[in-house]
Amino acid sequence: NQTSYSPSAITVKAGSKVTLKLVNRTGQGCIQAFTIPKLGIQKIVRVGTFDEVNFLAPTKPGIIPFMCSMGMYQGIINVI
């Protein structure tokens, strides 16, 4: 059973177009809900399925957290 996002940290260029490919092989429960609250993004990726998230990275460098719907599983997007 999947217990974390992999990778848990990614780096993107400020102002760039970003596509995250989300693949859920074995993650059950709240980890199926991938959210980026700061960007208003939420995707449900059921076990054995995949999806993608597309967004424009902020123009200012900084850290954007991503997480499951409950905040139990987390990671970061490092905007440089």
Side-chain angles (χ1 to χ4, degrees):
N1 198 12
Q2 208 167 327
T3 58
S4 66
Y5 291 115
S6 176
S8 61
I10 60 170
T11 301
V12 300
K13 286 181 80 171
S16 65
K17 289 182 180 176
V18 178
T19 298
L20 300 181
K21 295 184 187 300
L22 309 174
V23 179
N24 184 351
R25 291 186 181 91
T26 60
Q28 297 182 18
C30 64
I31 200 167
Q32 297 175 92
F34 179 83
T35 67
I36 309 173
K38 191 173 184 177
L39 302 179
I41 293 172
Q42 180 170 345
K43 277 283 183 173
I44 304 296
V45 185
R46 304 263 178 234
V47 176
T49 67
F50 60 91
D51 206 336
E52 31 179 75
V53 169
N54 299 289
F55 61 91
L56 199 56
T59 54
K60 285 184 161 184
I63 301 291
I64 301 173
F66 62 84
M67 63 204 65
C68 68
S69 59
M70 295 177 63
M72 291 173 58
Y73 305 100
Q74 301 182 21
I76 60 162
I77 300 168
N78 185 23
V79 181
I80 58 169

